[in-house]
Amino acid sequence: MAIERTLSIVKPDAVGKNAIGAIYDRFEKAGLRIVAARMMHLTRAQAEGFYAVHKGRPFFNDLVAFMSSGPVMIQVLEGENAVAKNREVMGATNPKAAAAGTIRADFAASIDENAVHGSDGPDTARAEISYFFADTDICPRTR
Ligand code: IDP
């Protein structure tokens, strides 16, 4: 299976709960390697740009307000089938529907504040990674 990269964000609710380390542990236990990371407090404009695909949806304004409400931890995850594997580890968008043991089941309070973001496909992953990281920011493992 191909080695892929995906873009992951620990959202403001989970950062506020001091759960960055616990969530990183889920990624690493699933075989996903963190190959780039940065903490940011997104501006409204940065959050709007990142979620531009959702512009016009009824939840867009709340989503942008939430994503710019506090610091987020942004990372590139690398591994076999990383896009789908990360989605599996995250769980369903609505935590009430998320499988037991997933990040959203364990850390998210609602569909609006659902702990993590993960790219939904390889093309989206490439675009989302380049929204936050230059190629030179990414540190593939050498051992
Ligand atoms: P995803 O984060 O699981 O990929 P998307 O459909 O890409 O889900 O939606 C982006 C984010 O927008 C979700 O994580 C969630 O926080 C929010 N969202 C999506 N659908 C709804 C909704 O129906 N009501 C409220 N918020 C929503």
Side-chain angles (χ1 to χ4, degrees):
M1 201 165 283
I3 298 291
E4 282 179 344
R5 288 178 185 160
T6 191
L7 193 277
S8 159
I9 303 178
V10 181
K11 295 185 178 183
D13 56 328
V15 173
K17 288 175 186 162
N18 214 17
I20 296 169
I23 290 172
Y24 271 26
D25 190 50
R26 305 287 179 102
F27 297 146
E28 293 188 329
K29 288 213 163 84
L32 294 165
R33 296 179 292 276
I34 296 155
V35 294
R38 67 187 291 203
M39 183 173 261
M40 292 179 74
H41 190 143
L42 300 178
T43 63
R44 276 195 73 91
Q46 285 170 325
E48 279 173 5
F50 183 73
Y51 278 116
V53 67
H54 291 307
K55 200 163 182 170
R57 306 277 291 274
F59 56 84
F60 182 72
N61 282 340
D62 287 347
L63 176 61
V64 166
F66 167 59
M67 289 301 287
S68 55
S69 68
V72 294
M73 193 70 199
I74 309 168
Q75 44 284 328
V76 178
L77 305 176
E78 185 180 81
E80 280 185 10
N81 211 15
V83 174
K85 187 171 285 179
N86 182 43
R87 298 288 304 188
E88 199 181 303
V89 171
M90 288 164 58
T93 305
N94 186 344
K96 292 187 179 67
T102 60
I103 293 170
R104 282 169 165 166
D106 292 342
F107 296 99
S110 68
I111 191 169
D112 305 281
E113 302 202 355
N114 60 2
V116 279
H117 167 83
S119 308
D120 62 5
D123 291 341
T124 319
R126 273 186 282 279
E128 291 183 350
I129 289 168
S130 65
Y131 193 79
F132 291 115
F133 296 97
D135 285 349
T136 49
D137 293 329
I138 297 172
C139 306
R141 297 298 156 82
T142 51
R143 50 182 295 172

